[in-house]
């Protein structure tokens, strides 16, 4: 297994190199004038457009431009993001922990709820509870995340006033954030460690609506797959053999059937976490949540190439790391899997 992990880690720079070639190459489809747009911040700068193009080397051959970008990246300089008005690496350092916090409070409920409901639906096939869950799954499939998000805001923020609607923390608590000692980068946890339970609770309240939106939308597919896997496992030979040996239904269902049904759920869970860590673009934008997703949307709209490239590199690392963890979990769940 150690050799397997080492091989996968060594793949990270290769994947990033190939991806960077593709992304930087795609930027060449834009004209030098379009690629110079992020550097124009005033009318005076607009008048010096040609000078900016020459200074940035935007008319140089692609290998020269790529080599310049790669050299800066290896030095830790991913460029300046116009969307966030600061360096790309600084922006990622500030926003990724916020997205990670949203990922944690979203992924855990999605996986636990989906496994439980999918198992419950399969064990009660064609009964009332199964029919109800199947209808809910179809609804989850049918409703886009922006529709669910807007409904959540309309009901729980605008109408009932139970929960905050936007941001990561209320305006009143924003002024107290500078006094917090940061330990983990997760604001709710850091606030609790500082004894500021009021701020921690405020952060959690701001997480509820975006997390609930993602749970409703993303749980549907995992529930359906878990139900189908469980139904297939319950009719397999090894389950019938276990029942013939006199094992209780609880042992058969949990130890034999559900464990084998979880294999594809591990893969789906990996894709889920990759998507969440890379930023839930629509959800973060709707709730004005200051994570990676909201920043990337703003960067894409403003043709912020440095930000887009930085996000692509971040996504490459996330994909390789999470994929490696998923492959390792396969071996834990299914001993038949080998890492040769």
């Amino acid at each position: 297994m150690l050799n397997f992990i080492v091989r996968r880690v060594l793949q990270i720079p290769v994947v990033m190199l190939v991806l960077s070639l593709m992304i930087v190459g795609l930027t060449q489809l834009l004209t030098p004038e379009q690629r110079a747009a992020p550097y124009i911040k005033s009318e005076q700068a607009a008048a010096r457009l040609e000078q900016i193009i020459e200074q940035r080397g935007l008319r140089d051959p692609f290998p020269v431009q790529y080599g310049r970008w790669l050299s800066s990246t290896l030095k830790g300089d991913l460029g300046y993001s116009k969307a966030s008005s600061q360096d790309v690496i600084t922006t990622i350092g500030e926003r990724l922990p916020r997205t990670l916090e949203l990922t944690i409070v979203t992924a855990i409920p999605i996986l636990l709820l989906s496994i439980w409901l999918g198992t419950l639906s399969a064990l009660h096939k064609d009964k009332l509870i199964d029919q109800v869950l199947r209808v809910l799954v179809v609804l989850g499939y049918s409703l886009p995340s922006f529709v669910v998000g807007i409904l959540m805001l309309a009901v729980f923020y605008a109408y009932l006033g139970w929960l905050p609607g936007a941001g990561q923390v209320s305006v009143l608590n924003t002024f107290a954030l500078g006094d917090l000692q940061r330990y983990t980068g997760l604001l709710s946890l850091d606030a609790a460690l500082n004894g500021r339970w009021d701020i921690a609770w405020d952060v959690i309240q701001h997480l509820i609506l975006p997390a609930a939106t993602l749970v409703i939308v993303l749980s549907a597919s995992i529930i359906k797959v878990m139900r189908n896997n469980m139904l297939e496992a319950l009719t397999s030979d090894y389950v019938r053999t276990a029942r013939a040996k006199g094992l209780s239904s609880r042992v058969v269902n949990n130890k034999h059937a559900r464990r084998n049904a979880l294999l594809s759920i591990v893969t789906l869970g990996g894709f889920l976490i990759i998507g969440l860590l890379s930023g839930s673009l629509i959800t973060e934008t709707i709730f004005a949540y200051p994570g990676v997703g909201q920043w990337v949307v703003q960067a894409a709209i403003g043709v912020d190439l440095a930000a887009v490239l930085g996000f692509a590199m971040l996504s490459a690392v996330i994909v390789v790391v999470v994929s490696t963890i998923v492959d390792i979990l396969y071996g834990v769940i299914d001993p038949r899997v080998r890492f040769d």
Side-chain angles (χ1 to χ4, degrees):
M1 181 181 293
L2 180 59
N3 290 335
F4 169 79
I5 296 174
V6 171
R7 289 199 305 268
R8 294 304 295 267
V9 170
L10 292 177
Q11 288 178 6
I12 293 179
V14 177
V15 172
M16 293 178 64
L17 183 64
V18 173
L19 182 61
S20 66
L21 277 168
M22 294 172 59
I23 299 297
V24 176
L26 287 174
T27 63
Q28 300 302 302
L29 298 176
L30 301 175
T31 64
E33 290 76 13
Q34 290 173 320
R35 285 182 279 131
Y39 305 107
I40 299 176
K41 304 175 184 178
S42 64
E43 292 183 4
Q44 291 79 6
R48 297 186 297 105
L49 177 60
E50 284 300 325
Q51 183 180 351
I52 292 174
I53 292 175
E54 292 299 325
Q55 288 177 345
R56 300 288 176 175
L58 300 181
R59 298 191 191 279
D60 292 343
F62 170 69
V64 176
Q65 294 188 47
Y66 177 76
R68 186 187 302 119
W69 175 87
L70 184 61
S71 176
S72 299
T73 300
L74 293 176
K75 295 176 183 177
D77 180 12
L78 294 177
Y80 179 83
S81 172
K82 186 178 180 181
S84 61
S85 300
Q86 57 185 1
D87 292 339
V88 171
I89 193 69
T90 303
T91 303
I92 292 176
E94 289 182 358
R95 290 180 175 260
L96 185 58
R98 300 168 187 166
T99 296
L100 176 61
E101 198 164 18
L102 179 59
T103 298
I104 292 172
V105 300
T106 301
I108 294 175
I110 286 177
L111 293 174
L112 294 180
L113 191 65
S114 300
I115 292 171
W116 175 57
L117 291 179
T119 303
L120 188 66
S121 180
L123 294 177
H124 298 83
K125 184 175 181 292
D126 295 331
K127 296 182 180 179
L128 177 61
I129 189 170
D130 181 35
Q131 299 292 345
V132 171
L133 288 173
R134 289 164 70 181
V135 170
L136 293 177
V137 166
V138 172
L139 288 175
Y141 265 122
S142 305
L143 293 174
S145 58
F146 70 88
V147 172
V148 177
I150 292 172
L151 288 174
M152 287 284 189
L153 284 172
V155 175
F156 296 102
Y157 170 64
Y159 182 70
L160 296 176
W162 290 354
L163 295 167
Q168 186 188 22
V169 68
S170 64
V171 177
L172 293 178
N173 284 326
T174 301
F175 300 102
L177 297 182
D179 298 329
L180 293 180
Q181 183 70 31
R182 296 303 180 95
Y183 300 101
T184 65
L186 306 180
L187 186 54
S188 59
L189 183 57
D190 287 341
L193 293 174
N194 280 269
R196 293 299 305 268
W197 296 98
D198 56 328
I199 297 179
W201 175 238
D202 187 23
V203 174
I204 292 172
Q205 284 183 307
H206 279 80
L207 286 169
I208 291 175
L209 288 184
T213 299
L214 292 170
V215 168
I216 291 172
V217 174
L218 300 178
S219 294
S221 59
I222 302 180
I223 292 174
K224 182 177 180 180
V225 171
M226 184 64 192
R227 178 184 181 274
N228 293 339
N229 289 351
M230 194 69 180
L231 288 174
E232 182 179 354
L234 289 171
T235 58
S236 60
D237 293 336
Y238 61 85
V239 169
R240 284 195 292 266
T241 302
R243 294 189 190 279
K245 290 181 178 179
L247 298 177
S248 66
S249 297
R250 183 174 182 177
V251 172
V252 172
N253 295 335
N254 293 336
K255 185 176 180 180
H256 295 276
R258 185 161 63 183
R259 182 168 183 174
N260 285 278
L262 286 174
L263 285 175
S264 58
I265 301 301
V266 172
T267 302
L268 289 177
F271 286 127
L272 169 70
I273 293 173
I274 288 171
L276 291 173
L277 284 176
S278 298
S280 303
L281 310 185
I282 296 175
T283 303
E284 287 190 7
T285 301
I286 289 174
F287 292 97
Y289 188 79
V292 173
Q294 185 198 42
W295 168 58
V296 171
V297 170
Q298 295 171 347
I301 293 174
V303 197
D304 190 346
L305 298 182
V308 173
L309 286 170
F311 173 73
M313 296 300 98
L314 173 66
S315 298
V317 174
I318 291 173
V319 168
V320 175
V321 171
V322 175
S323 298
T324 302
I325 294 173
V326 167
D327 290 340
I328 294 172
L329 287 177
Y330 256 96
V332 174
I333 295 175
D334 188 353
R336 295 172 298 177
V337 176
R338 294 292 179 265
F339 300 102
D340 298 330

